[in-house]
Amino acid sequence: LTASDLFAAAITNGAKVVNQPADQDLVVIDYAGLTSDFLFDDLDEAEVLMTRMNAHHVTGLVVAGNWILQDGQLQTVDIAAANKELSKQAKADLPRLAAERSRTHKLSSAIHRFYNELE
């Protein structure tokens, strides 16, 4: 199975697998940045995407026809509000987290002792 085969299968069958309409999702990639260190342009684009691309190369994302990320900026998420809510939830969970903290320290110590004894 080549990278091209895998890429083609994801493109043509991806919507079917997740039971969603086709042609409503789109990823915008900084392809020039992805290939900036290449000396030649006779590339297998699918292989380049499948083997080299990571989140840093994604500049846009459309899901179900709606822009989620555009020009590298989130469009539909209020990061400050999300951070505030996450902090609120974490603080509300402090009693449970405090109880887990001592167990976590004991587990960490046991793991360190185990691996130190292997040497």
Side-chain angles (χ1 to χ4, degrees):
L1 185 66
T2 68
S4 293
D5 294 336
L6 185 59
F7 188 74
I11 296 300
T12 58
N13 297 323
K16 293 177 190 172
V17 169
V18 294
N19 197 26
Q20 294 295 317
D23 302 330
Q24 292 190 355
D25 299 342
L26 171 74
V27 177
V28 180
I29 300 163
D30 175 10
Y31 193 75
L34 180 63
T35 59
S36 65
D37 60 337
F38 285 14
L39 297 177
F40 303 102
D41 62 1
D42 56 344
L43 314 168
D44 178 342
E45 285 85 5
E47 185 171 347
V48 170
L49 292 173
M50 298 296 290
T51 60
R52 294 182 54 117
M53 191 180 96
N54 63 45
H56 298 288
H57 299 109
V58 177
T59 61
L61 176 65
V62 176
V63 176
N66 300 307
W67 282 96
I68 304 299
L69 181 74
Q70 190 171 23
D71 297 323
Q73 300 296 312
L74 286 171
Q75 302 298 302
T76 60
V77 176
D78 181 344
I79 295 295
N83 283 334
K84 184 177 178 179
E85 177 62 24
L86 181 60
S87 180
K88 177 182 158 188
Q89 290 181 19
K91 287 176 183 174
D93 201 26
L94 273 177
R96 185 190 64 80
L97 293 173
E100 293 295 328
R101 190 173 190 184
S102 67
R103 291 185 211 129
T104 302
H105 286 300
K106 289 176 185 175
L107 179 59
S108 177
S109 295
I111 290 170
H112 280 124
R113 280 192 310 273
F114 174 80
Y115 282 105
N116 284 334
E117 290 173 5
L118 290 178
E119 294 177 348

